[in-house]
Amino acid sequence: MTDMILFGVFPYVALALMVGVGFYRYCIDRYSWSSQSSQFLESRILYWGSVPWHYAILVILLAHFLAFLVPTGWGVLLGSPLRLYLLEVTGMALGLCTLIAIVLLVVRRIMNPRIAVVTSPIDWLVLAALLLQVATGVYIAVTLRWGSVWYLHTATPWLWSLVKLDPQVQYLAVLPAVVKLHAFNAFLILAIFPFSRLVHVVSVPLGYLARPWQVVVWYRARVRS
């Protein structure tokens, strides 16, 4: 019963919140739809945390998505032991990169009083959820080897069952607790996504494509002698 609630019901609740609240916020409070960057308060640690985080997490998410979207092709890719080994090593390296980056971002907000003041409770919740997600992901990669293979036979069919509105939670029920936590926390991040500054990741400035050219003229006042 617990597995059905966590992995058969909650994913739909999380997606409903993400879409519904996100759309409502965009329509009602569009000015809050931004990253609310704190770069002007501190930039050095932000650079070393934010840049590695964005590049590494994008590659990791892409790998997860491809394994879900084209499991047959992903399985063919992993058919060679050498490719499987290289993919596992690359995944671990990227995971460690994201872990170090998110730790830097968390420490930055804790240690800098000016940034801590402008950090809301939802920001702390998002950072905690992201840190937990990355930490469990790295732990799974290190302790439960060849995850890129068994992911195809557990998470992928479970996710597809959600798409088909026929949740098959037995695929996750047999997995270790840390994997279940990793899967649940992923949907928890989606649930809190529209309430946080993370919404900026889905902002696409399409309006700029049709905006007329803006002419900027520099004017220097003459100094009378």
Side-chain angles (χ1 to χ4, degrees):
M1 184 63 181
T2 302
D3 287 333
M4 176 57 71
I5 294 175
L6 295 180
F7 308 115
V9 177
F10 180 71
Y12 295 112
V13 175
L15 291 174
L17 286 173
M18 183 183 71
V19 176
V21 176
F23 181 76
Y24 176 83
R25 179 179 174 186
Y26 182 79
C27 295
I28 302 300
D29 191 16
R30 191 171 300 183
Y31 286 105
S32 70
W33 195 280
S34 72
S35 63
Q36 302 173 22
S37 176
S38 59
Q39 183 178 3
F40 69 96
L41 296 176
E42 195 282 328
S43 60
R44 186 172 63 89
I45 299 179
L46 176 64
Y47 175 83
W48 291 109
S50 179
V51 174
W53 164 264
H54 283 86
Y55 282 107
I57 200 65
L58 284 176
V59 177
I60 292 175
L61 291 176
L62 179 62
H64 282 69
F65 182 71
L66 289 177
F68 158 72
L69 189 63
V70 284
T72 303
W74 192 259
V76 172
L77 176 64
L78 302 178
S80 167
L82 178 60
R83 291 198 297 266
L84 173 60
Y85 182 78
L86 290 176
L87 186 64
E88 287 283 316
V89 172
T90 303
M92 289 184 186
L94 290 172
L96 288 173
C97 181
T98 57
L99 181 59
I100 294 172
I102 192 65
V103 168
L104 282 175
L105 294 176
V106 172
V107 171
R108 171 179 177 266
R109 289 194 173 270
I110 294 176
M111 300 301 294
N112 192 313
R114 295 189 300 172
I115 300 177
V117 168
V118 298
T119 304
S120 65
I122 192 66
D123 292 331
W124 291 119
L125 179 60
V126 168
L127 286 172
L130 291 176
L131 178 58
L132 177 62
Q133 190 68 7
V134 174
T136 54
V138 172
Y139 180 83
I140 291 171
V142 173
T143 60
L144 303 174
R145 302 296 303 278
W146 320 120
S148 51
V149 174
W150 56 258
Y151 178 93
L152 293 175
H153 305 285
T154 54
T156 295
W158 167 61
L159 291 172
W160 274 113
S161 73
L162 294 177
V163 174
K164 298 175 182 178
L165 303 181
D166 182 26
Q168 302 293 321
V169 299
Q170 67 271 16
Y171 289 106
L172 287 185
V174 297
L175 295 179
V178 65
V179 179
K180 293 182 179 181
L181 177 61
H182 188 72
F184 172 80
N185 193 62
F187 280 97
L188 177 62
I189 292 173
L190 295 181
I192 62 180
F193 173 87
F195 300 96
S196 69
R197 65 180 70 193
L198 282 179
V199 293
H200 77 278
V201 303
V202 295
S203 298
V204 181
L206 297 178
Y208 286 96
L209 299 177
R211 192 183 69 174
W213 291 98
Q214 181 178 2
V215 179
V216 179
V217 179
W218 291 95
Y219 173 76
R220 178 180 298 177
R222 293 182 178 180
V223 179
R224 295 183 180 181
S225 56

